[in-house]
C-alpha cells in the first residue's frame, strides 16, 4: 500500500484536526517520514553511501529535526537554509551548500560556518579560491543528462543554468591548483521527479568518470530527484532495482580506487512527499454548466505545483465515505483563473462544509507557499509516532497577517473612518 494512504486510513482523525485547527492545514505523518528515511538508509549496507535531505522540499524545523535524528545530513541551496539547519542542531560538516548565484557575503557566511560548499560556476570558483586559498570545496557539474517531471525542474540539460560545463573541468582544476585549493567533491543533480531511472544511472556513470579527471576527490554527490507516484496508476520508483544497478557501479568504482571515498544522494520529494497532505474545506459548490467547481479555502498560493507544473495531486473527500459519483474541478480562492487544484475528479457528491484532503503534498507544498492575494499561510500539524498530533506552525488570522505585513513594510497604519 502506498504510504500516503496511511494518512487516509483515519479520516476521522483528519476531520478532528480540521475542526480543531481549522483549514487550510498541512498534515504530516512522522512515522511515514521515519520509515522512508530508514528505507533509504538501509539501501546500500556495504557501500560508503550517506544521505542528505534536500531541505527545499519541506523545511519545517520539526521535520528537519526528525530527519536529522534519522541520520541524514542536509542538502541546502541558500544561505538561509544553511542557517536553518544549524539552528536545528545539524553539524556543519553534515550541511552541504549547493550555491546558485551566491553573493560574496553568503560565501563568507558559508565559510565561517564551515559547511561543505558546492560551487557551480568558474567565476565563483575563482573568487572562492582567491578569497580562501589552501582550503577545499566541491564543484557542481552540468552533466548534459537531464530528467524531471516537468521541463521547469529538469536541471542537467545542455542549456541549464546549473553547474560547470564538463569540458571546463581542467580549467576548474587549474584555478583551484593555482590557489592551493583542493577540489574534494564533485556533484550533479539532473532534475526532480526523474522519469527514467536510466538517466540517473547515466549520471552516476558520468560523475564517476568525471571524478577521474580531478586529483583529490574524497566524495561524489549524485543529487536527488527520486520520483514518487502522484497519479494512479503510477508505480513506486523501483528502489531495489535502482539499488542493484547503482550499487554495482559504485562497488566497481571502489575496486579501482585507492583511498577513501564517500558517495552521497540528496533526495527531498521521495522522503517527505507522500508523508503530507493539505486539508481544505469546501465553501462553495458552483455549477458553471460544463463544469461543477468545488470552491475551497486554499489555492495556488498554498499548493503551487498544479499551477506551476500542471502537477496532479489526488483529492479525497474525507467527510464522505460514499461511492464516488460526481465529477468536479477543485478550485482555489485566489483571484486568477489558473487557480485550479484538480480537474475532472470523480468524488462522492460533495457539499459545502466538506473537508478535502489533497494528497502527496508533503514536498514542495508549504515551502513554495506565498501570501499572494495577501492571504495567510496554512497551519502545519505533525501526527506524532504515538498517534497524537501537534501543531508545528500556526496559521495567522487575517488581522495578524495584515499586522505582520504592515510591520514588515514599516507602514504606519491610519485609522479608517
Ligand atoms: C541541488 C538539488 N538537490 C536535490 C534536490 C532534491 O530533488 P528531489 O526533491 O526531486 O529529490 C533538488 C531539487 O530540485 C536540488 O535542486
Amino acid at each position: 500500500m502506498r504510504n500516503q494512504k496511511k494518512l487516509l486510513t483515519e479520516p476521522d482523525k483528519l476531520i478532528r484536526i480540521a475542526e480543531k485547527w481549522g483549514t487550510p492545514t498541512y498534515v504530516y505523518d512522522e512515522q511515514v517520514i521515519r520509515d522512508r528515511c530508514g528505507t533509504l538508509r538501509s539501501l546500500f549496507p556495504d557501500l560508503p553511501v550517506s544521505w542528505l535531505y534536500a531541505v527545499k522540499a519541506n523545511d519545517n524545523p520539526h521535520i528537519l529535526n526528525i530527519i536529522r535524528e534519522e541520520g541524514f545530513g542536509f542538502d541546502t541551496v541558500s544561505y538561509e537554509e544553511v542557517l536553518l539547519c544549524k539552528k536545528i542542531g545539524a553539524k556543519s560538516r553534515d550541511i552541504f551548500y549547493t550555491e546558485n548565484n551566491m553573493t560574496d557575503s553568503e560565501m563568507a557566511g558559508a565559510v565561517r560556518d564551515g559547511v561543505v560548499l558546492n560551487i557551480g560556476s568558474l567565476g565563483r570558483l575563482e573568487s572562492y579560491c582567491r578569497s580562501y586559498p589552501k582550503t577545499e570545496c566541491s564543484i557542481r557539474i552540468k552533466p548534459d543528462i537531464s530528467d524531471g517531471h516537468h521541463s521547469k525542474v529538469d536541471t542537467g540539460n545542455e542549456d541549464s543554468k546549473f553547474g560547470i560545463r564538463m569540458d571546463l573541468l581542467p580549467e576548474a582544476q587549474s584555478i583551484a591548483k593555482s590557489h592551493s585549493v583542493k577540489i574534494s567533491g564533485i556533484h550533479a543533480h539532473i532534475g526532480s521527479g526523474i522519469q527514467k531511472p536510466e538517466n540517473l544511472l547515466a549520471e552516476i556513470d558520468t560523475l564517476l568518470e568525471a571524478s577521474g579527471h580531478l586529483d583529490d576527490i574524497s566524495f561524489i554527490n549524485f543529487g536527488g530527484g527520486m520520483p514518487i507516484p502522484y497519479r494512479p496508476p503510477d508505480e513506486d520508483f523501483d528502489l531495489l532495482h535502482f539499488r542493484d544497478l547503482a550499487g554495482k557501479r559504485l562497488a566497481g568504482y571502489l575496486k579501482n580506487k585507492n583511498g577513501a571515498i564517500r558517495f552521497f544522494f540528496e533526495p527531498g520529494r521521495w522522503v517527505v512527499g507522500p508523508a503530507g497532505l493539505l486539508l481544505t474545506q469546501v465553501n462553495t459548490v458552483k455549477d458553471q454548466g460544463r463544469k461543477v467547481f468545488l470552491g475551497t479555502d486554499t489555492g495556488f498560493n498554498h499548493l503551487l505545483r498544479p499551477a506551476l507544473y500542471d502537477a496532479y495531486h489526488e483529492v479525497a473527500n474525507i467527510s464522505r465515505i460514499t461511492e464516488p459519483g460526481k465529477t468536479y474541478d477543485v478550485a482555489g480562492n485566489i483571484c486568477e483563473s489558473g487557480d485550479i487544484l484538480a480537474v475532472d475528479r470523480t468524488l462522492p457528491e460533495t457539499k459545502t462544509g466538506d473537508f478535502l484532503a489533497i494528497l502527496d503534498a508533503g514536498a514542495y507544498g508549504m515551502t513554495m507557499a506565498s501570501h499572494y492575494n495577501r492571504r495567510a499561510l496554512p497551519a502545519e500539524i505533525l501526527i506524532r509516532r504515538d498517534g497524537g498530533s501537534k501543531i508545528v506552525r500556526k496559521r495567522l488570522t487575517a488581522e495578524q497577517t495584515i499586522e505582520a505585513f504592515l510591520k514588515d513594510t514599516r507602514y504606519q497604519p491610519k485609522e479608517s473612518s
Side-chain angles (χ1 to χ4, degrees), residues 52-57 75-77 96 98 118 140 149 153 155 162 187-189 191-194 221 223-227 265-272 363-364:
L52 305 169
Y53 165 70
V55 171
K56 68 199 292 207
D75 159 55
T76 62
V77 289
F96 194 83
T98 293
N118 187 32
R140 175 177 186 165
H149 67 80
V153 291
T155 51
F162 296 108
H187 164 268
H189 169 72
S192 191
I194 288 169
N221 182 337
M226 291 164 179
F265 291 95
E266 49 184 30
R269 181 190 313 276
W270 197 92
V271 178
V272 290
Y364 306 105

Side-chain angles (χ1 to χ4, degrees), residues 156-173:
N157 63 68
E158 200 183 340
D159 295 332
S160 169
K161 69 169 179 163
F162 296 108
I164 295 171
R165 272 172 25 211
M166 298 272 287
D167 60 306
L168 296 178
L169 277 187
E171 204 171 330
Q173 173 100 302

Side-chain angles (χ1 to χ4, degrees), residues 121-138:
S121 73
L122 284 190
R124 180 45 69 185
L125 182 64
E126 177 94 52
S127 62
Y128 173 83
C129 292
R130 244 187 287 116
S131 306
Y132 306 103
K134 299 185 189 147
T135 58
E136 53 187 86
C137 69
S138 164

Side-chain angles (χ1 to χ4, degrees), residues 114 261 290 306 330 333 341:
I261 191 115
R290 282 204 296 262
V330 180
N333 58 2
L341 296 162

Side-chain angles (χ1 to χ4, degrees), residues 52 96 98 118-120 138-146 155-156 162-167 169 183-191 194 198-225 242 246 249-250 252-254 257 261-266:
L52 305 169
F96 194 83
T98 293
N118 187 32
I119 294 177
S138 164
I139 55 170
R140 175 177 186 165
I141 62 159
K142 178 171 76 71
D144 296 344
I145 300 166
S146 208
T155 51
F162 296 108
I164 295 171
R165 272 172 25 211
M166 298 272 287
D167 60 306
L169 277 187
I183 297 179
S184 55
I186 186 166
H187 164 268
H189 169 72
I190 61 168
I194 288 169
E198 53 274 26
N199 285 327
L200 191 48
L201 293 166
E203 180 235 22
I204 290 174
D205 289 336
T206 301
L207 274 175
L208 294 178
E209 217 271 311
S211 77
H213 299 290
L214 299 166
D215 295 338
D216 284 321
I217 287 295
S218 51
F219 67 85
I220 305 175
N221 182 337
F222 303 108
F242 172 72
R249 287 164 164 81
L250 302 185
Y253 176 85
L254 288 175
K257 176 92 192 155
I261 191 115
R262 270 219 95 62
F263 302 116
F264 290 96
F265 291 95
E266 49 184 30

